[in-house]
Amino acid sequence: MTEAQQEQRPQAADIATAVGAALTGATWAADPGRSEDAAEIQAITQAMVRLLVGVPLHSDGQLTIKSLAHEAGLRRNKLTHKHTGLKDLFYALVRSQDHRPKIADSLQVDNDQLRHKLTDLRGEHNKLKQRLATFARVVHVLEVENAQLREQSRPGATVRPLQRRPR
């Protein structure tokens, strides 16, 4: 990793990396036979770093326990029941961040565009509803006039010229 990339990493990711390394080392030192736990801790902390930096590999990039578990390749209950300390650390790091991940920014832009499009479509829909009501009134008036003309033009009736209506 270059120096520029290291400067861009948020402090939260550095904290997650340090805690993960410390917990992995402590797990190995306490019981070398618990390599599965150490591997889980390492996978979780690496997933934390990827999510906090905003470059997820396996999940949707949201800062949730579900996404963290998916990113780490573990079941969610590993975080909610076994590694609760890492879950709490993740939530604390998420709250401490003063910026949103890149995925959230792009989702916000998409959301704003969709809201604007929805507003435009609602306006167009209202205009079309008004036109429809106008056309319905016109059709009704024409039907009434047509019925009057049919009544006036019965066989044996006198032919009368139509009067022009002022507009």
Side-chain angles (χ1 to χ4, degrees):
M1 183 177 285
T2 66
E3 286 181 350
Q5 288 173 325
Q6 284 180 340
E7 288 175 15
Q8 290 176 348
R9 286 178 56 169
Q11 289 180 336
D14 293 334
I15 293 169
T17 303
V19 168
L23 285 175
T24 303
T27 303
W28 276 101
D31 187 2
R34 293 175 57 188
S35 62
E36 182 180 321
D37 288 347
E40 287 174 356
I41 291 169
Q42 194 170 23
I44 292 168
T45 54
Q46 288 172 355
M48 271 189 216
V49 170
R50 288 193 299 272
L51 288 176
L52 292 169
V53 170
V55 287
L57 299 177
H58 308 291
S59 70
D60 56 8
Q62 295 182 1
L63 299 176
T64 62
I65 290 300
K66 181 180 176 184
S67 293
L68 177 61
H70 191 259
E71 185 70 26
L74 300 171
R75 292 192 335 238
R76 192 170 137 245
N77 70 343
K78 291 284 187 177
L79 285 162
T80 58
H81 293 87
K82 187 174 182 182
H83 301 289
T84 57
L86 289 175
K87 175 191 73 155
D88 295 339
L89 172 67
F90 179 67
Y91 279 144
L93 293 174
V94 167
R95 282 191 304 270
S96 73
Q97 278 191 320
D98 55 41
H99 73 286
R100 295 185 309 191
K102 293 176 187 172
I103 187 114
D105 290 337
S106 66
L107 290 174
Q108 182 65 41
V109 168
D110 291 346
N111 191 18
D112 291 342
Q113 289 173 345
L114 289 172
R115 284 182 192 275
H116 182 68
K117 186 175 182 179
L118 179 63
T119 303
D120 292 346
L121 289 174
R122 281 185 178 154
E124 185 178 343
H125 175 74
N126 288 335
K127 286 179 187 175
L128 290 174
K129 277 175 58 176
Q130 289 172 351
R131 281 187 186 168
L132 180 65
T134 302
F135 290 145
R137 283 192 299 270
V138 167
V139 167
H140 178 69
V141 168
L142 290 174
E143 285 176 349
V144 169
E145 287 179 357
N146 192 15
Q148 289 173 351
L149 288 174
R150 284 179 194 259
E151 229 178 84
Q152 291 175 1
S153 66
R154 287 189 185 155
T158 5
V159 177
R160 295 183 202 143
L162 295 176
Q163 298 174 358
R164 286 192 152 225
R165 292 188 179 181
R167 291 188 180 209

